[in-house]
């Protein structure tokens, strides 16, 4: 995921300099980030350019987007766009104190059995609570 340019073109996205910047900023994060957080990281790009790049990445399944439980969309790079399926999704944790979203890649999403005729395309599994850092800080 470190060579942004190749990663983008291999997955059908023309690697313009803006798109590479957005991709690299996203890939460098250890956790899912919102559009405003990306805007802060990418001081040289405006919100609409970042949003356009993210929308394109989504269309090509280069990123995952989900609602963080407080109405904010968070984005994360897809670890494996070629083989990504519902079984590769992991649990997320939303800290009600610092409002950060954490990835728990070692915790797969529990699968539920759907009624016949229903097909799942994505699952948003979000646990809310207080993160490690905030718990330490409050002690
Ligand atoms: Zn994926
Ligand atoms: Zn926290
Ligand atoms: Zn994640």
């Amino acid at each position: 995921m470190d060579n942004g340019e190749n990663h983008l073109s291999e997955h059908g996205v023309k690697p313009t300099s803006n798109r590479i910047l957005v991709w690299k900023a996203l890939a460098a994060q250890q956790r899912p980030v919102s559009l405003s957080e990306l805007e802060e990281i990418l001081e040289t790009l405006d919100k609409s350019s970042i949003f356009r790049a993210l929308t394109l990445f989504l269309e090509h399944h280069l990123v995952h987007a989900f609602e963080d439980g407080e109405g904010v969309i968070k984005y994360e790079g897809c670890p494996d766009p070629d083989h990504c399926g519902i079984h590769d999704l992991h649990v997320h944790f939303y800290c009600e104190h610092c409002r950060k979203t954490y990835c728990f890649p070692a915790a797969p999403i529990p699968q539920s059995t759907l009624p016949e005729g229903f097909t799942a395309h994505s699952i948003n599994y979000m646990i809310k609570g207080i993160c490690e850092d905030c718990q330490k800080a409050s002690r």
Side-chain angles (χ1 to χ4, degrees), residues 10-103:
E10 275 166 19
H11 295 96
V13 175
K14 197 171 160 250
T16 64
S17 57
N18 278 5
R19 290 172 189 165
I20 293 170
L21 278 175
V22 175
W23 176 258
K24 283 191 172 161
L26 198 62
Q29 307 307 308
Q30 300 297 313
R31 54 184 187 81
V33 286
S34 67
L35 179 58
S36 338
E37 284 175 292
L38 276 174
E39 198 189 10
E40 268 172 45
I41 300 162
L42 292 160
E43 285 169 348
T44 52
L45 288 185
D46 62 55
K47 212 168 192 158
S48 62
S49 318
I50 302 172
F51 186 71
R52 279 200 305 273
L54 288 173
T55 307
L56 193 67
F57 295 166
L58 262 179
E59 282 166 15
H60 292 265
H61 198 105
L62 289 168
V63 295
H64 298 170
F66 50 89
E67 203 260 328
D68 73 355
E70 300 279 327
V72 177
I73 305 293
K74 298 274 170 84
Y75 300 88
E76 70 180 353
C78 173
D80 190 359
D82 301 316
H83 307 102
C84 185
I86 217 157
H87 295 277
D88 303 303
L89 299 174
H90 50 253
V91 167
H92 287 115
F93 184 94
Y94 177 79
C95 175
E96 290 164 329
H97 187 79
C98 64
R99 296 170 193 276
K100 284 179 185 160
T101 306
Y102 292 81
C103 288

Side-chain angles (χ1 to χ4, degrees), residues 88-134:
D88 303 303
L89 299 174
H90 50 253
V91 167
H92 287 115
F93 184 94
Y94 177 79
C95 175
E96 290 164 329
H97 187 79
C98 64
R99 296 170 193 276
K100 284 179 185 160
T101 306
Y102 292 81
C103 288
F104 292 163
I109 287 181
Q111 301 287 316
S112 22
T113 315
L114 296 177
E116 229 183 283
F118 291 81
T119 308
H121 283 155
S122 75
I123 305 175
N124 187 7
Y125 196 95
M126 182 75 72
I127 300 174
K128 285 188 185 184
I130 303 293
C131 76
E132 199 183 15
D133 287 348
C134 291

